Amino acid sequence: MNSKLLSITLIFLLIIGCGKPTEVKPNNKTLLAQALYLKDFDSAQKLMNNVNLNKKTRNLIKANKAMQLGSEPGLQKELHTLQKIYSQMSPSHQALYNKMHQWLLLKQIYRIEIAPPVRILQRKELYLAPSNINFNVCQTTPARCASEQRAELTKLITPEVIAQELKRMALKDPCANLSNSLKDSTFANRCLNSSKGDLRIELLPKPFLTQSKWLQVISDE
């Protein structure tokens, strides 16, 4: 085969090769990160059986699942286990732990200190009475405060930020009237529906990780 024919043959083979790109299939870690991002916990559980993960990573995934499914006891159990080995975690593991821990503590503090009693007055119509909430009182007065949870949370955020977060939650709470006057039946009925469980409001958004962040958590062994 002369050099000219050889060159033509090589060019032809290159054209054929370029026309059929090699398909790169995602590996199990990438698929697991995608499943966790999509909150597809059934697929995530199956994939975890095919991925080499250490106990810390598995506990973090279990904690996240409990949080996303609304199981605070399950989340608290996993966080308690992880707290004992916190210093051994990678930065990405610690960051995820801190986000979930902060979310849980704020929910607990709100429930103990802020969650207003249902103060509905019956006159010509239903009214929602002012809640008279002081978001800063527990910074100085320990009475009826979630002292244990606050002590943990102040390791992550300042008391001022805690007060701000609690107020943001109260602004979403159908039973919290932060004004100084009565609110009409529209607000009173929303509160009643919320108390009965017919209206579900997310006072505090759950921590969210992108797929790339999940892949980092899974890969940091």
Side-chain angles (χ1 to χ4, degrees):
M1 184 181 294
N2 61 41
S3 59
K4 185 175 180 180
L5 182 59
L6 179 60
S7 299
I8 293 171
T9 304
L10 288 172
I11 292 170
F12 178 72
L13 291 172
L14 284 171
I15 292 171
I16 293 175
C18 290
K20 296 181 179 179
T22 304
E23 183 181 355
V24 179
K25 293 184 178 180
N27 59 33
N28 285 328
K29 280 191 176 182
T30 302
L31 291 172
L32 177 56
Q34 183 181 53
L36 292 169
Y37 165 69
L38 296 173
K39 302 175 188 176
D40 182 359
F41 297 115
D42 288 338
S43 296
Q45 186 60 53
K46 293 174 184 175
L47 287 162
M48 284 171 66
N49 297 329
N50 299 317
V51 177
N52 184 24
L53 300 173
N54 63 30
K55 193 173 187 304
K56 294 189 289 291
T57 306
R58 290 181 180 277
N59 283 123
L60 281 167
I61 292 174
K62 287 168 66 177
N64 175 71
K65 178 181 177 180
M67 179 184 66
Q68 298 296 346
L69 296 180
S71 174
E72 288 187 30
L75 172 59
Q76 188 157 9
K77 176 186 175 184
E78 297 301 331
L79 292 180
H80 180 71
T81 300
L82 287 162
Q83 189 176 38
K84 300 173 184 175
I85 52 174
Y86 181 84
S87 61
Q88 302 170 27
M89 293 186 203
S90 69
S92 68
H93 285 185
Q94 290 180 347
L96 177 55
Y97 172 92
N98 290 342
K99 286 180 180 180
M100 293 190 291
H101 198 198
Q102 179 176 320
W103 182 86
L104 178 63
L105 292 170
L106 279 169
K107 292 269 288 185
Q108 292 175 337
I109 292 170
Y110 188 89
R111 192 178 301 123
I112 295 169
E113 297 179 0
I114 307 298
V118 179
R119 300 186 63 218
I120 294 178
L121 307 179
Q122 175 73 62
R123 294 184 181 176
K124 290 183 180 180
E125 61 175 323
L126 295 177
Y127 291 95
L128 182 64
S131 300
N132 301 319
I133 299 171
N134 184 342
F135 294 97
N136 297 307
V137 68
C138 284
Q139 292 185 40
T140 55
T141 307
R144 281 195 266 180
C145 295
S147 302
E148 183 178 336
Q149 289 84 354
R150 277 182 173 269
E152 283 294 311
L153 190 52
T154 49
K155 297 175 185 177
L156 302 174
I157 55 178
T158 66
E160 291 75 21
V161 173
I162 293 174
Q164 292 169 11
E165 291 295 327
L166 294 175
K167 187 171 184 179
R168 286 194 188 96
M169 294 169 72
L171 287 168
K172 295 181 182 179
D173 192 337
C175 292
N177 178 0
L178 303 187
S179 72
N180 295 319
S181 58
L182 297 175
K183 289 196 172 183
D184 63 24
S185 57
T186 302
F187 294 92
N189 284 321
R190 284 189 81 238
C191 174
L192 286 176
N193 289 333
S194 175
S195 300
K196 290 187 295 184
D198 297 332
L199 175 65
R200 297 195 178 277
I201 304 290
E202 188 179 56
L203 301 184
L204 186 65
K206 296 179 178 71
F208 171 82
L209 290 189
T210 63
Q211 184 174 331
S212 61
K213 288 290 186 183
W214 268 119
L215 186 57
Q216 184 180 359
V217 168
I218 294 166
S219 301
D220 282 353
E221 289 290 285

